[in-house]
Amino acid sequence: MSVNRIWPSEIVLHEDADTGATVRQLTGYRAHSHHFYFTNPGWHDGGKRLLVSSDRNNATNLYSIDLGTAESRVLYRMEEGWDVSMINCSADGLHVYASITEDMSDRFRVDYLRGYVGFRETWEARPLSRIVKASTDGSGGEFIFKEKYWIGHVNTSPTKPDVLTFCHQGPWDCVDNRIWGMNVSKGDVWKIRAPEEGETIGHEYWHADGERVRYHGERADGAAWLGHCRYDDTDHVENHFPGKTGHIHSNGPDLVVGDGGRVVRLWRRNGDTYEEPRVLCRHDSSAKIQQVHVHPRFNADGSQVVFTTGVSGYGNVYLADVPPVDSLPQINE
């Protein structure tokens, strides 16, 4: 498939049956398509385009969807034999960062995309992992960190070019410490929100200010909570968090989107706690494989949520408009 081939619009518009929210289906090719993991924004060209991955012509490639015309364009063709993990661009656009981990598939079966096969075994194996820094001008790259622990989820601050987070990947109740910070220019590495006895923590991401890192988890007694702190592991703020959730995203502390259960849901902060969640729209995705994980994420101004669902039989990418929160039905779980 040639780079820059333009595919015609596949957009389908509908109103959610439960809430009346406007939902746009952006992809409709009869194979899986999905937006980026929720820690990666995907929007570019001033919010006029959205990057997605799509399986077309028996290959998985990167596409850019024009949100005005809904045409998609091939940007990059993946070479065989590579497994890219969480590529993120620095705030100044000069570098991209990613983690790479030695291949464990010759020791045990590995299929993270379909049922997390080999997930625990990889954590137990303590594979050699590296964080890669590559220049966007094509001048080359370097390894900036390595250790014998499974590293994943390299997330760059959206405002600080030299600051990123990464995680120790594995079962949340087993890893030594989930979230780590790094100052690339100094080489400093530090823990962020070390868990207390019996706690689990994960699904970290950056607030839009590039100063604060958000995460969620459970206490030893099973109580769900939502927290955020400065990237230097100071000024921790943690709140009770009601209702089911899986992956969450927010641009700041006031409104959170998540994919728990069969619906895309919103939580609004009210003082020191969060209100019961409200339904934005249904997703009804099975989430049995990574390509149909919902992974909702707000756009920059919080007016829309992008998500993926396999409800049609194939994974497809959708955009839902966010109406006034009070107009949405509340979920009591």
Side-chain angles (χ1 to χ4, degrees):
M1 183 186 302
S2 61
V3 174
N4 282 330
R5 172 180 172 179
I6 296 177
W7 293 74
S9 172
E10 299 164 7
I11 195 168
V12 177
L13 188 69
H14 73 272
E15 288 188 357
D16 184 78
D18 291 346
T19 68
T22 300
V23 181
R24 297 170 180 83
Q25 179 179 336
L26 300 180
T27 60
Y29 191 82
R30 292 186 178 181
H32 290 310
S33 300
H34 63 89
H35 70 296
F36 282 8
Y37 194 65
F38 73 97
T39 57
N40 301 58
W43 282 274
H44 66 110
D45 192 17
K48 298 176 183 177
R49 291 180 173 272
L50 181 70
L51 293 172
V52 302
S53 174
S54 189
D55 300 338
R56 304 187 180 212
N57 294 343
N58 204 33
T60 301
N61 289 311
L62 183 65
Y63 293 77
S64 175
I65 298 178
D66 186 314
L67 297 177
T69 66
E71 293 176 338
S72 58
R73 181 187 301 266
V74 184
L75 291 185
Y76 178 76
R77 185 170 63 250
M78 185 72 70
E79 298 290 337
E80 292 185 5
W82 292 91
D83 183 15
V84 178
S85 176
M86 295 298 170
I87 295 176
N88 260 290
C89 190
S90 60
D92 57 12
L94 298 180
H95 300 94
V96 293
Y97 295 88
S99 62
I100 60 173
T101 301
E102 62 177 313
D103 186 2
M104 297 281 106
S105 61
D106 60 341
R107 306 186 197 181
F108 45 82
R109 186 183 171 209
V110 174
D111 192 351
Y112 307 135
L113 298 182
R114 286 162 284 274
Y116 293 98
V117 176
F119 187 79
R120 186 182 186 92
E121 291 84 350
T122 301
W123 168 75
E124 291 175 339
R126 298 294 195 273
L128 176 64
S129 298
R130 294 186 172 102
I131 297 177
V132 181
K133 173 185 177 182
S135 299
T136 55
D137 64 4
S139 60
E142 60 180 321
F143 299 130
I144 60 171
F145 183 74
K146 66 178 181 179
E147 65 175 329
K148 290 283 289 185
Y149 210 106
W150 189 11
I151 291 177
H153 296 267
V154 175
N155 297 323
T156 52
S157 165
T159 61
K160 296 183 176 299
D162 290 334
V163 178
L164 57 81
T165 63
F166 64 91
C167 83
H168 276 178
Q169 187 68 289
W172 289 8
D173 60 343
C174 296
V175 295
D176 57 346
N177 188 80
R178 165 75 183 197
I179 313 170
W180 297 78
M182 182 176 188
N183 184 305
V184 175
S185 60
K186 297 180 179 179
D188 296 338
V189 173
W190 62 91
K191 293 180 180 180
I192 296 177
R193 186 44 175 94
E196 298 178 5
E197 183 69 27
E199 285 185 331
T200 58
I201 299 171
H203 287 158
E204 66 281 353
Y205 61 91
W206 288 91
H207 278 178
D209 63 7
E211 294 279 345
R212 303 191 71 82
V213 178
R214 169 75 78 171
Y215 43 84
H216 74 98
E218 288 188 357
R219 310 286 187 198
D221 62 3
W225 55 276
L226 181 66
H228 57 95
C229 66
R230 278 184 49 83
Y231 68 90
D232 60 1
D233 197 34
T234 61
D235 190 22
H236 296 81
V237 178
E238 296 178 357
N239 310 94
H240 171 64
F241 195 52
K244 299 176 183 177
T245 188
H247 302 86
I248 59 170
H249 180 259
S250 60
N251 289 324
D254 294 332
L255 191 64
V256 178
V257 64
D259 57 8
R262 309 293 288 183
V263 299
V264 178
R265 53 184 65 198
L266 301 175
W267 289 263
R268 181 171 56 185
R269 187 178 67 163
N270 187 352
D272 293 332
T273 188
Y274 282 84
E275 299 172 352
E276 294 293 329
R278 295 176 183 266
V279 179
L280 174 60
C281 62
R282 299 197 66 83
H283 64 73
D284 287 320
S285 192
S286 69
K288 288 186 178 297
I289 60 174
Q290 283 284 345
Q291 289 92 330
V292 296
H293 280 197
V294 182
H295 294 157
R297 181 187 171 105
F298 285 111
N299 64 350
D301 64 10
S303 63
Q304 292 182 315
V305 169
V306 64
F307 64 96
T308 294
T309 173
V311 67
S312 68
Y314 298 104
N316 280 302
V317 182
Y318 296 75
L319 269 179
D321 293 342
V322 179
V325 175
D326 286 329
S327 71
L328 298 172
Q330 199 169 61
I331 307 170
N332 294 304
E333 295 174 323

